[in-house]
Amino acid sequence: MSADSFHHQVEQSLKVQRKTYDFEDFVSAVKKAKSGNVELIKMQHFDFFYWPNYVSQQKLKGPSRLYLSELVQVKAERGSSYLLCKTNYDVMSPYQQLDFLQKKSMKGIKLPSHRISPCGFPEHKKLNILQSLSQILPDNRKQFWIELPTPQSKD
């Protein structure tokens, strides 16, 4: 895949960088990949949405059910409420139409609410990482791990 080439360049950039202590180190390695010709967008928690599941289980049942392991090509067309799928690599074979959405989704899907706060990282794992890295992590690089969010309690 074309993404494999980019991932390889990120790996090479990480090797050249030698030590990656925090997320900012990783960001700089990604920026340096592909000779710096990378548009990098650091996503925040509010860039993620709570999308409802509009899959119709009734439509998925039946003898013509397609399984993910059988699919070799999937095509989505803008404005269409179904997917086009192939189960073989033959260029001349026609696409199968996969209609899997509930009827209520056909009226239009509104943009759902976005995430208000980060999911967080379990406190015990965060403390374990800080304890494990305390000997090798420079003091000026510990801030990322200290500020790593933890899940909000649901009282």
Side-chain angles (χ1 to χ4, degrees), residues 119-153:
C119 300
F121 201 75
E123 184 72 31
H124 69 280
K125 288 187 178 184
K126 175 180 167 179
L127 294 174
N128 190 14
I129 289 171
L130 278 168
Q131 185 179 14
S132 299
L133 295 177
S134 65
Q135 300 300 316
I136 60 171
L137 201 60
D139 289 335
N140 65 339
R141 305 315 279 277
K142 288 182 182 176
Q143 199 61 34
F144 168 79
W145 297 101
I146 292 169
E147 292 176 356
L148 195 64
T150 54
Q152 303 296 323
S153 62

Side-chain angles (χ1 to χ4, degrees), residues 53-60 74 81-85 97-103 105-106:
N53 183 358
Y54 287 116
V55 173
S56 169
Q57 294 303 318
Q58 292 292 61
K59 288 183 177 181
L60 288 180
V74 178
S81 60
Y82 53 84
L83 292 174
L84 298 172
C85 307
Q97 191 172 333
L98 178 60
D99 183 16
F100 64 96
L101 293 175
Q102 297 172 355
K103 285 187 179 182
S105 71
M106 302 304 171

Side-chain angles (χ1 to χ4, degrees), residues 15 19 61 64 72 82 86 99 132:
K15 281 182 185 176
K19 293 185 179 181
K61 291 179 182 175
S64 62
V72 297
Y82 53 84
K86 283 189 178 184
D99 183 16
S132 299

